[in-house]
Amino acid sequence: MTDCKFANDAEVIDFARTHSGVFQAGANLGVEEIGDGNINFVYRVYADDGTSVIIKQALHYIRIIGEGWPLSQDRIRIEAEALQQEALYCPDLVPRVYHFDAARSAIVMEDIGAHENLRHALIARTHLPLLAEHLGRFAADTLFHTSDLYLDAHRKKELVGRFINPDLCKITEDLFFWDPYCDHERNNINPLLWDEAEALWQDAPLKLEVARLKHRFLTCAQALLHGDLHSGSVFACAEGTKVIDPEFAYFGPMGFDVGSVLGNLLLNVAGQAELPGDAAERAAYQAWLLETIAGFWNTFAGRFGALMEEKTQDPSLDLALYRDAFLAELLADSIGYAGTEMIRRTLGLAHVADLDAIEDPQRRALAESRVLHLGRAMIMQRGEFGSIETLVAFVRDH
Ligand code: SR1
């Protein structure tokens, strides 16, 4: 355990000046703490001429909980290395890492200030025309190029070793696949949803399918995942998209990342039904979200299929029939993991503003109840949808 926390603003500024290489000599620098995530501290250091950098620091505990929930600081090395891996394949979609400092448990990286947190943008009903294409390409390129379809067998296993991430994986194992399915003290449940939560805790067929998904999460080292690809880990604007915060990165099932994107867009679809604002505008935005969901998957599957065709290294995996089978299985997995994301954001510890911003508890319960029903159906029927269009039609009807 290292107590490496910056003691004051001057230390943060000095660190940024020394390690970023972007500021003019003698520039007058200021600093603000901008972290609104659950786990780390994030600082923005800026000069009068508009130059700025971000410093992210990982302490030995979870920020929102405190010292009562310790957490390995190795997560910040994993984040730096994951950002560097992602940059090999989609440099335009991730912030540039200027410096990683093990002693300070800190990364100095590019400030993506012109982009807005995707969750806030979705709640404000912002149309983002490039989002589907960018997220589809990010998922396809990062997952394909870190899988056995592309990597040499020795390199793949060497990378698996670099991204063993037990503390962060344990958070996901508990918060996604256990807490919401029992009366856990960490849960955060709208009292109006209590009967539905109790019914879910007794739902043996659902718990069986969640156990299957959890076991895949524990054992299926398909590719280097981002590991926490929710709307808060994406920053977007009309011109571009940046994916940040891969501290949960590890080698797991590809459908977990793809499903996190699907699940978070669907959480916003459900939230829009009850958020304030003009009904026609909210309905139009829900339609855009569903188009974005289809566009995301179709970009992903098109790009991933093309990469499989062009770049698969192992001849035993380079078969047209295997490509189709692989993508069909991945769609089913993704829909299942999306369902687990939706349920855990409704009953579990870490809620999302897409639902929590609905102030009236009755209206919030309506949206939450729809999320639970959709999430359950997506987990139970994940192998039956067969196409993203069928899933979108199902969501429209339910
Ligand atoms: C205590 S950490 C809660 C959540 O925040 C992270 O961003 C992950 O999504 C995690 O599940």
Side-chain angles (χ1 to χ4, degrees):
M1 175 199 316
T2 318
D3 188 8
C4 55
K5 191 170 185 343
F6 294 111
N8 49 44
D9 287 357
E11 278 194 12
V12 183
I13 288 173
D14 186 49
F15 188 76
R17 200 188 293 283
T18 309
H19 294 298
S20 64
V22 306
F23 296 114
Q24 302 275 1
N28 184 31
L29 302 185
V31 60
E32 54 184 344
E33 210 277 312
I34 59 167
D36 65 352
N38 294 322
I39 299 182
N40 300 299
F41 289 84
V42 184
Y43 304 90
R44 179 170 174 272
V45 180
Y46 52 90
D48 296 340
D49 65 1
T51 312
S52 56
V53 298
I54 297 297
I55 295 177
K56 179 167 180 180
Q57 187 177 48
L59 300 186
H60 59 276
Y61 52 84
I62 293 188
R63 175 193 174 128
I64 56 164
I65 309 278
E67 307 226 7
W69 191 335
L71 205 58
S72 161
Q73 289 171 293
D74 191 40
R75 69 187 189 272
I76 198 81
R77 174 194 63 79
I78 286 181
E79 174 163 346
E81 293 192 12
L83 284 169
Q84 286 159 343
Q85 277 294 319
E86 293 162 356
L88 294 176
Y89 307 110
C90 27
D92 58 319
L93 299 179
V94 291
R96 209 172 131 203
V97 172
Y98 297 131
H99 177 71
F100 164 62
D101 197 287
R104 274 289 186 189
S105 286
I107 303 173
V108 186
M109 66 182 116
E110 178 187 353
D111 184 4
I112 52 165
H115 300 72
E116 186 187 6
N117 181 298
L118 177 61
R119 196 178 302 288
H120 300 160
L122 296 178
I123 291 168
R125 295 190 277 281
T126 311
H127 286 257
L128 296 159
L130 300 176
L131 185 70
E133 195 271 318
H134 284 170
L135 289 181
R137 179 161 59 83
F138 174 84
D141 274 81
T142 57
L143 297 176
F144 176 81
H145 288 106
T146 58
S147 75
D148 288 289
L149 297 166
Y150 178 71
L151 291 175
D152 158 79
H154 285 84
R155 173 69 179 147
K156 159 82 187 313
K157 289 166 187 69
E158 180 198 328
L159 273 182
V160 171
R162 289 206 68 75
F163 287 95
I164 299 293
N165 196 353
D167 277 17
L168 282 283
C169 284
K170 184 73 169 83
I171 291 176
T172 303
E173 290 153 21
D174 290 343
L175 297 193
F176 270 72
F177 303 111
W178 176 242
D179 296 7
Y181 303 94
C182 64
D183 185 7
H184 201 283
E185 63 189 9
R186 276 189 298 248
N187 285 339
N188 172 8
I189 301 172
N190 179 345
L192 296 171
L193 223 63
W194 195 256
D195 288 351
E196 290 190 47
E198 282 188 327
L200 192 138
W201 299 335
Q202 306 303 321
D203 189 338
L206 176 64
K207 290 165 87 161
L208 170 62
E209 295 311 316
V210 172
R212 289 197 165 107
L213 288 163
K214 179 172 186 174
H215 198 255
R216 271 180 83 65
F217 183 85
L218 290 164
T219 59
C220 179
Q222 269 184 331
L224 179 61
L225 308 189
H226 176 285
D228 197 24
L229 197 45
H230 59 79
S231 306
S233 296
V234 177
F235 277 64
C237 61
E239 295 79 32
T241 307
K242 299 280 183 189
V243 179
I244 65 165
D245 283 357
E247 69 206 307
F248 283 75
Y250 88 112
F251 275 78
M254 298 181 187
F256 187 78
D257 268 6
V258 177
S260 294
V261 174
L262 297 176
N264 275 271
L265 292 171
L266 287 171
L267 283 161
N268 195 264
V269 170
Q272 289 297 345
E274 307 299 334
L275 281 165
D278 176 71
E281 191 193 311
R282 288 184 286 126
Y285 197 69
Q286 287 174 311
W288 177 80
L289 286 165
L290 293 177
E291 279 167 28
T292 299
I293 285 171
F296 162 69
W297 171 263
N298 288 327
T299 301
F300 169 79
R303 172 87 182 139
F304 197 97
L307 287 168
M308 281 182 92
E309 200 169 343
E310 289 159 25
K311 293 173 111 176
T312 296
Q313 302 293 306
D314 182 340
S316 54
L317 302 177
D318 188 16
L319 309 169
L321 280 177
Y322 186 61
R323 282 197 284 281
D324 294 344
F326 191 95
L327 284 168
E329 191 180 331
L330 184 46
L331 177 64
D333 259 14
S334 304
I335 293 172
Y337 284 118
T340 64
E341 168 71 343
M342 293 161 72
I343 290 176
R344 75 108 175 190
R345 294 297 193 179
T346 310
L347 302 180
L349 169 77
H351 280 213
V352 287
D354 313 59
L355 297 173
D356 280 8
I358 304 166
E359 282 179 16
D360 176 355
Q362 307 268 6
R363 297 194 70 162
R364 189 165 68 250
L366 287 175
E368 289 172 334
S369 175
R370 183 174 176 215
V371 168
L372 289 185
H373 284 100
L374 277 176
R376 183 186 189 282
M378 287 165 62
I379 292 168
M380 298 303 295
Q381 298 165 40
R382 63 191 183 281
E384 295 161 28
F385 289 98
S387 74
I388 199 71
E389 286 73 22
T390 307
L391 174 68
V392 164
F394 182 85
V395 173
R396 274 200 197 100
D397 292 347
H398 290 81

